Amino acid sequence: MSGLHATRPLSWRHRLLRGTLIALVMVFMAVLVLLPLAAVFIEALSKGVAAFMDVLAQPETVSSIKLTLLVAVLAVPLNLVFGVAAAWAMTRFEFRGKALLGAFIDLPFSVSPVVAGLVYVLLFGAQGWFGPWLSDHGVTIIFAVPGLVLATVFITLPFVARELISLMQAQGSEEEEAARTLGASGWQMFFRVTLPNIRWALLYGVLLCNARAMGEFGAVSVVSGHIRGLTTTMPLEVEMRYNEYDYMGAFAVASLLGLLALLTLVVKALLEWRYGDELAARATRGH
Amino acid sequence: MGHKRRRVLPGFGISLGYALTYLGLIVLLPLAALVWKASALDFSGWLQLLSAPRTLAALKLSFGGALIAALFNAVAGLLVTWVLVRYRFPGRRLFDALVDLPFALPTAVAGIALTAIYAPNGWLGQYLLPLGIKIAYAPAGVLVAMIFVGFPYVVRTLQPVLETLDRDVEEAAESLGATRLQTFVRVIVPALLPTLLTGFALALARAVGEYGSVIFIAGNIPLRSEIAPLLIVQKLEQFDYAGAAALGTVMLGFSLVLLVAIALLQRWSGRWAERAA
């Protein structure tokens, strides 16, 4: 920046252009991003704090919160273990079809959430491949918690893997090779060298994975069956209240998810600020 | 090098085996079930499905709307990235962090919030309606939701590239007498083009399949503001599994095409970066 200014001082036209562009971006982002965020909280409190607290204490709300936490607690660790395994294989070894494997890991990012839910209905639903066999054995997946977890796992599969692959690619394997040469066992190497090197990136991936897992709507909506108190996660509770014209209630539950989003962004910014060097390059941040 | 590494580092078989099994069970097997179910539909079934006015209208809205939204996001995203990277102003870091909000905010929450803003009696909608502008419960509402969810992709893809773009080239162009506009059009835009296209493709992929944020604001009027993913949900609710699978396969096919395009674009922009270095 200084180089540019040294060669050519800011003319008033340049300053005007610059001021206009900054103002334009601020207004655009305020309308596109800030206004919806503000709407969530203001609509949630539109009937006062007491009514808001009342919605949060209702059994439907409480059970939707518990279910959302349960689904995330099951789905996130599954994708965490997968992410570590996939990143280890992809960044530490050469093998045929590596690029294809990378593309398949990315696939859930570009598949419609509705399609993600649909595939499990076709697999495990009453008319599906395994449907009849499952119902003979008394196992329910669709319109039950296992279906919610599967759909969430599908949608959030790439988050941890993507982050770790970019970082471990950049870090290289010298330290791990040194540990092995010095006689460390495989697990010693993993827990004393690899894990400390990737811990912040791991946390970063888990953070994004969790935010999406708790907020996922389309995929879980297809497999849920919307059974109140049993298969409605918080986003589905928002939808059901909204469709029943309980707008304030919908926004009250939505405001909790809004707080989760804000918390996610704050932790994300903190991680980038404090441990930016130990995260994957910013190029991969957008995913 | 590869041989030595393979001997020294453990866990190749178990990590690759686990990753492939997991990916196969979670992603590939279910997608195979989708295509298999869609193949239950014979030729006339496909023809009937794809020529139905409601299907055509929904596909046109999902693909056409996503295209317009992604184009808008490419232009707006370039502008926002430029301002965030090149200018210093109060609140810059806050606005930078806010770019990610559409990623973090659950789609259903975004959907009802956008509806509260753009509905005929909404925060902005009440002022737009007298001007003859109807956004919620119309195709324009679908666009607004698609722009919202796709916005971060362009900025976050462009940002690291613009940050490392060599200023010397710009200064050289200007010292040779190029105007700022000429420098922007002839020097900066070509250097950013592969990355801009990648961001555009990512935003497009997201918007085409978007469901949660769209269905609340769209009003879902058949033939007018009904998106393709909603049609899939409706077919499922009517137990038309083959129809749902067929539409799902069409959307999956488009996702795969975009995925390949994005991979090629990234390779192209990687080459660009190498040449610049």
Side-chain angles (χ1 to χ4, degrees):
Chain A
M1 176 159 278
S2 56
L4 196 65
H5 292 174
T7 49
R8 192 191 278 197
L10 283 177
S11 67
W12 68 268
R13 280 176 58 192
H14 185 185
R15 247 185 251 181
L16 185 69
L17 174 72
R18 182 193 159 116
T20 314
L21 289 182
I22 291 173
L24 199 64
V25 164
M26 282 179 153
V27 171
F28 172 70
M29 284 192 62
V31 172
L32 185 74
V33 179
L34 273 182
L35 208 56
L37 185 66
V40 172
F41 295 107
I42 290 172
E43 296 287 335
L45 294 168
S46 61
K47 289 182 184 167
V49 177
F52 173 78
M53 296 308 288
D54 194 42
V55 171
L56 297 195
Q58 284 165 9
E60 298 92 334
T61 313
V62 174
S63 76
S64 77
I65 295 173
K66 282 184 187 163
L67 184 59
T68 301
L69 293 174
L70 176 69
V71 169
V73 160
L74 293 172
V76 173
L78 284 173
N79 282 337
L80 169 68
V81 174
F82 165 74
V84 174
W88 183 256
M90 293 228 357
T91 62
R92 296 299 180 254
F93 304 97
E94 293 302 326
F95 54 92
R96 261 202 227 171
K98 198 196 238 187
L100 192 66
L101 177 60
F104 278 127
I105 292 174
D106 277 346
L107 189 59
F109 273 148
S110 53
V111 169
S112 172
V114 167
V115 173
L118 170 69
V119 293
Y120 289 108
V121 175
L122 297 178
L123 213 50
F124 301 121
Q127 309 286 318
W129 270 359
F130 304 121
W133 186 88
L134 287 171
S135 70
D136 286 348
H137 292 75
V139 181
T140 334
I141 291 182
I142 298 307
F143 304 155
V145 176
L148 298 175
V149 175
L150 279 173
T152 306
V153 165
F154 182 106
I155 289 288
T156 61
L157 182 136
F159 283 97
V160 177
R162 276 285 93 194
E163 177 67 21
L164 289 186
I165 289 169
S166 307
L167 178 79
M168 287 168 68
Q169 195 86 62
Q171 280 181 341
S173 58
E174 279 86 2
E175 290 184 32
E176 283 142 355
E177 281 165 21
R180 286 291 285 171
T181 315
L182 294 171
S185 75
W187 289 115
Q188 278 176 330
M189 173 212 68
F190 179 75
F191 284 109
R192 302 213 184 143
V193 179
T194 309
L195 207 54
N197 278 343
I198 64 170
R199 59 187 163 176
W200 298 114
L202 205 60
L203 186 61
Y204 191 85
V206 164
L207 179 77
L208 300 184
C209 182
N210 177 68
R212 185 67 196 263
M214 289 191 174
E216 179 48 30
F217 174 72
V220 295
S221 165
V222 173
V223 296
S224 145
H226 296 80
I227 309 162
R228 261 256 164 84
L230 287 178
T231 64
T232 46
T233 59
M234 289 166 78
L236 298 175
E237 181 68 22
V238 170
E239 181 202 21
M240 288 182 80
R241 284 178 184 268
Y242 194 84
N243 289 342
E244 289 159 5
Y245 303 103
D246 174 14
Y247 293 127
M248 196 283 286
F251 277 104
V253 180
S255 70
L256 297 180
L257 290 167
L259 282 177
L260 172 74
L262 284 179
L263 183 70
T264 303
L265 288 188
V266 168
V267 177
K268 183 172 173 289
L270 280 177
L271 281 175
E272 281 164 9
W273 169 67
R274 181 71 183 76
Y275 301 105
D277 299 342
E278 296 173 57
L279 300 175
R282 289 187 74 172
T284 58
R285 206 174 79 173
H287 303 253
Chain B
M1 182 75 186
H3 282 288
K4 189 186 138 204
R5 204 184 275 176
R6 206 167 295 168
R7 215 172 47 232
V8 172
L9 292 181
F12 176 62
I14 188 171
S15 62
L16 185 63
Y18 182 78
L20 286 178
T21 310
Y22 188 85
L23 204 62
L25 288 177
I26 298 290
V27 178
L28 299 182
L29 178 72
L31 291 179
L34 175 77
V35 178
W36 170 78
K37 195 79 193 178
S39 69
L41 213 61
D42 60 5
F43 181 73
S44 67
W46 273 93
L47 201 67
Q48 203 181 0
L49 173 78
L50 290 179
S51 64
R54 215 164 147 187
T55 317
L56 283 176
L59 286 173
K60 204 174 130 195
L61 181 62
S62 275
F63 288 106
L67 193 67
I68 297 171
L71 280 172
F72 179 90
N73 274 332
V75 176
L78 179 60
L79 177 68
V80 170
T81 316
W82 180 264
V83 168
L84 287 178
V85 172
R86 289 294 169 97
Y87 300 152
R88 293 291 170 272
F89 55 94
R92 187 184 67 89
R93 292 182 73 107
L94 179 72
F95 278 93
D96 187 53
L98 278 176
V99 170
D100 284 326
L101 190 79
F103 278 148
L105 199 66
T107 54
V109 179
I112 63 170
L114 290 172
T115 312
I117 293 166
Y118 295 103
N121 59 351
W123 290 21
L124 293 179
Q126 56 180 313
Y127 304 108
L128 294 173
L129 200 62
L131 305 172
I133 303 169
K134 194 175 179 201
I135 293 183
Y137 317 134
V142 178
L143 281 185
V144 168
M146 285 175 167
I147 288 169
F148 180 83
V149 295
F151 171 66
Y153 290 90
V154 177
V155 180
R156 290 305 184 221
T157 320
L158 273 178
Q159 205 166 22
V161 181
L162 188 60
E163 271 167 359
T164 54
L165 194 67
D166 199 352
R167 295 274 173 96
D168 294 348
V169 188
E170 287 166 52
E171 285 175 33
E174 293 193 18
S175 70
L176 291 171
T179 65
R180 292 196 66 81
L181 186 68
Q182 278 174 328
T183 312
F184 187 77
V185 173
R186 299 255 175 96
V187 178
I188 297 167
V189 169
L192 292 181
L193 195 62
T195 324
L196 189 61
L197 284 173
T198 308
F200 166 80
L202 288 168
L204 181 66
R206 174 68 199 260
V208 166
E210 183 54 26
Y211 178 70
S213 57
V214 173
I215 55 162
F216 295 99
I217 196 173
N220 308 322
I221 308 152
L223 298 173
R224 203 172 130 69
S225 62
E226 205 175 46
I227 54 167
L230 181 70
L231 223 53
I232 295 178
V233 171
Q234 287 173 353
K235 287 194 184 298
L236 264 183
E237 282 167 358
Q238 295 154 5
F239 306 107
D240 177 8
Y241 292 99
L247 262 184
T249 306
V250 171
M251 303 209 68
L252 176 69
F254 185 75
S255 304
L256 289 174
V257 169
L258 270 182
L259 200 68
V260 172
I262 291 165
L264 291 176
L265 280 168
Q266 274 166 344
R267 196 175 296 175
W268 181 28
S269 55
R271 268 210 303 275
W272 244 103
E274 268 169 39
R275 215 183 320 163

